[in-house]
Amino acid sequence: MNRVIAIDGPSGAGKSTIAKLLAQDLGYEYLDTGALYRAVALGLLHLGLNEETGDDELAAALEKIKVSFRMGRVFLNHKDVSQEIRSPEASHFASVFSARRLVRELLLDIQREALHHADLVAEGRDMTTVVFPYAYRKFYLDASVEERAERRTLEMKTKGYEVSREKICLDIIERDARDSGRDLAPLKIAEDAVLIDSTGMSVQDVFRKVLEIIRQDEQR
Ligand code: DC
């Protein structure tokens, strides 16, 4: 059985950065599950769906959507959408559509299937609780809302988006509430996850801490 290191946490907590570094260091595959939810949301948006769409129409639309990933790139119906999924609109609708059972069921299989092919560092909102409850190691990464908004603003500016820190902060608060408050697979801290608050910590410090915890356990 392949191993999975599962990382959950809210938007902007540094999950992707740490997961990528870990995957590189350990020789595991990196599974960005937020990217899958974003790609599905983009597909649904292209088909004209929105918050109000009912389950029948959603099910029919999902039939027309094929999401896959390869070598760190995400594909929607075989088209590389790795950049498009980072837009503020895709962020918003990924959070909206991820609350729908049909969407979560579709992606559950894709995520679990990935573990058949490689050891994984998987990050998202329900890696430690629902998708990989038997994960080899579990982490919950967090940071203050202000710091997460600051990081997200810098990231979006680097990607060429015109954004204000205040607007990003409000978006983060709204997404946190939706991702944690939904009925299905809400974001929460698993009982057996190690909580790391990265507020005020550098990427290298967080990475070192996570590695230390993984290796400490291995020496037991
Ligand atoms: O990690 P991210 O910001 O790229 O995720 C985008 C949205 O997708 C997030 O607001 C909630 C949803 N998501 C989810 O519900 N479950 C996951 N495992 C990953 C993401």
Side-chain angles (χ1 to χ4, degrees), residues 33-34 37-38 94-95 98 104 124-127 175 179 182:
T33 62
Y37 281 96
R38 285 165 180 268
S95 176
S98 67
R104 300 209 76 82
R125 303 293 187 287
D126 60 345
M127 297 300 99
R175 274 215 284 154
D179 297 345
R182 67 185 177 214

Side-chain angles (χ1 to χ4, degrees), residues 51-217:
E51 282 102 332
E52 314 300 330
T53 304
D55 273 351
D56 289 348
E57 200 185 334
L58 178 61
L62 290 174
E63 290 280 326
K64 299 182 191 142
I65 288 177
K66 183 169 170 17
V67 168
S68 58
F69 59 94
R70 206 172 344 113
M71 318 268 286
R73 314 293 299 175
V74 185
F75 300 85
L76 171 61
N77 296 336
H78 308 290
K79 181 179 169 239
D80 187 342
V81 290
S82 308
Q83 258 177 321
E84 221 182 316
I85 57 168
R86 299 295 157 195
S87 71
E89 196 189 23
S91 299
H92 172 75
F93 281 99
S95 176
V96 167
F97 288 124
S98 67
R100 305 291 292 267
R101 177 179 300 281
L102 292 167
V103 172
R104 300 209 76 82
E105 281 172 0
L106 173 79
L107 290 183
L108 187 63
D109 291 343
I110 297 178
Q111 294 166 88
R112 287 191 176 151
E113 169 70 19
L115 191 57
H116 294 155
H117 306 291
D119 293 316
L120 295 179
V121 181
E123 56 104 345
R125 303 293 187 287
D126 60 345
M127 297 300 99
T128 58
T129 51
V130 174
V131 181
F132 302 116
Y134 45 79
Y136 165 63
R137 298 284 181 266
K138 296 184 181 182
F139 294 93
Y140 186 97
L141 277 191
D142 207 350
S144 70
V145 171
E146 293 74 21
E147 187 151 331
R148 291 191 285 125
E150 187 63 40
R151 292 177 191 166
R152 202 41 113 211
T153 307
L154 280 176
E155 186 191 323
M156 294 301 277
K157 284 193 173 157
T158 312
K159 287 184 174 139
Y161 291 103
E162 276 288 321
V163 288
S164 81
R165 213 189 69 86
E166 291 68 27
K167 170 83 174 69
I168 294 258
C169 192
L170 290 176
D171 286 350
I172 283 185
I173 292 170
E174 185 194 315
R175 274 215 284 154
D176 281 359
R178 197 183 301 108
D179 297 345
S180 310
R182 67 185 177 214
D183 293 336
L184 296 172
L187 171 66
K188 63 178 181 194
I189 308 176
E191 264 176 29
D192 49 353
V194 177
L195 168 66
I196 297 179
D197 184 340
S198 69
T199 310
M201 287 172 79
S202 70
V203 168
Q204 280 313 317
D205 284 347
V206 179
F207 178 53
R208 253 195 303 271
K209 187 163 180 175
V210 169
L211 260 189
E212 213 176 84
I213 292 167
I214 292 174
R215 298 207 165 122
Q216 242 174 24
D217 284 357

